[in-house]
Amino acid sequence: AQRVTQPEKLLSVFKGAPVELKCNYSYSGSPELFWYVQYSRQRLQLLLRHISRESIKGFTADLNKGETSFHLKKPFAQEEDSAMYYCALSDNAGGTSYGKLTFGQGTILTVHP
Amino acid sequence: DAGVTQSPTHLIKTRGQQVTLRCSPKSGHDTVSWYQQALGQGPQFIFQYYEEEERQRGNFPDRFSGHQFPNYSSELNVNALLLGDSALYLCASSFPGGYTYEQYFGPGTRLTVT
């Protein structure tokens, strides 16, 4: 069974400091990994996906299949990055991703001024 | 485009009752997924509807059922409510095509069972 683990419930950093939100997964197939973010009073939204290998709002995440990790990183945190972050895995049944997401428990990131 | 909409916003029910939650997908989307998010937890997949049929299902009992209408909107029904069903219920829509589906989430319906 697939599982996503986010070991930190809370993470606090100061503005300008580097930030890394950890995500580990277990999945027998070829996973698709995502980071979703929920800002205060807003709905859950996609931040980035591993397949795109893109940087969004300064965040990057690299899929490490050897360590089964997909950590989210940003070199210089900003106050507006304060939010709840969820790592999620999508199954890939028969080569077609139907989009069923398995979420981690989430990490609340607080960036202090 | 208002994106994914859900109704009602909040709901209070008594144990043993039945509840229906509604979702309208984002314009152009034809796939609807439902998630349950208990307090302090990440969302958990309930099921997904495509072409008016349940395509995938998570580890939820048969008390949880759904429906998708020809206009792609969807309903989530929960029978014989338990206290443990109290949660935020999220609807997400997506469209097929491409290798990866991006899911757009609604604001959720907060269900409280007393």
Side-chain angles (χ1 to χ4, degrees):
Chain A
Q2 56 214 45
R3 177 176 289 186
V4 176
T5 303
Q6 293 179 250
E8 303 138 329
K9 281 209 151 183
L10 302 169
L11 186 61
S12 290
V13 300
F14 286 99
K15 177 183 173 182
V19 63
E20 180 179 54
L21 290 84
K22 291 184 166 51
C23 172
N24 289 92
Y25 67 90
S26 62
Y27 183 62
S28 56
S30 183
E32 297 177 44
L33 276 296
F34 306 82
W35 278 98
Y36 277 79
V37 62
Q38 188 167 26
Y39 301 103
S40 180
R41 299 189 188 86
Q42 294 187 27
R43 60 187 67 188
L44 198 58
Q45 58 186 286
L46 178 66
L47 179 62
L48 55 78
R49 70 195 84 177
H50 91 271
I51 199 169
S52 301
R53 301 186 66 81
E54 56 198 346
S55 173
I56 302 292
K57 299 184 179 183
F59 284 98
T60 59
D62 289 320
L63 179 61
N64 186 323
K65 291 187 178 181
E67 295 183 358
T68 60
S69 67
F70 188 56
H71 303 327
L72 183 68
K73 301 176 184 179
K74 185 170 183 177
F76 308 103
Q78 303 299 314
E79 290 178 68
E80 54 266 30
D81 296 329
S82 296
M84 170 72 91
Y85 291 81
Y86 292 99
C87 181
L89 178 153
S90 179
D91 69 357
N92 190 1
T96 300
S97 173
Y98 291 137
K100 168 191 169 184
L101 293 171
T102 298
F103 285 87
Q105 290 193 313
T107 297
I108 299 174
L109 173 65
T110 303
V111 182
H112 299 285
Chain B
D1 179 19
V4 179
T5 59
Q6 292 186 243
S7 63
T9 306
H10 297 91
L11 205 50
I12 299 174
K13 289 287 189 178
T14 304
R15 190 172 44 185
Q17 286 188 316
Q18 178 263 343
V19 68
T20 297
L21 311 182
R22 295 176 176 81
C23 170
S24 290
K26 183 177 169 63
S27 178
H29 288 186
D30 60 4
T31 302
V32 174
S33 301
W34 286 92
Y35 292 82
Q36 180 195 66
Q37 186 174 19
L39 201 60
Q41 304 293 318
Q44 267 196 294
F45 178 79
I46 303 175
F47 43 54
Q48 183 182 85
Y49 276 83
Y50 173 67
E51 292 188 342
E52 302 180 47
E53 290 194 0
E54 183 183 290
R55 179 160 68 177
Q56 271 191 311
R57 189 178 182 91
N59 191 22
F60 279 79
D62 292 344
R63 298 187 297 109
F64 289 77
S65 63
H67 188 78
Q68 186 178 35
F69 299 92
N71 67 352
Y72 309 122
S73 66
S74 177
E75 287 182 349
L76 164 65
N77 301 292
V78 187
N79 294 323
L81 284 167
L82 303 174
L83 297 179
D85 295 331
S86 295
L88 180 68
Y89 288 85
L90 297 170
C91 170
S93 72
S94 58
F95 56 89
Y99 182 69
T100 306
Y101 299 118
E102 177 175 349
Q103 297 200 37
Y104 291 77
F105 283 83
T109 293
R110 173 74 61 188
L111 172 65
T112 302
V113 182
T114 62

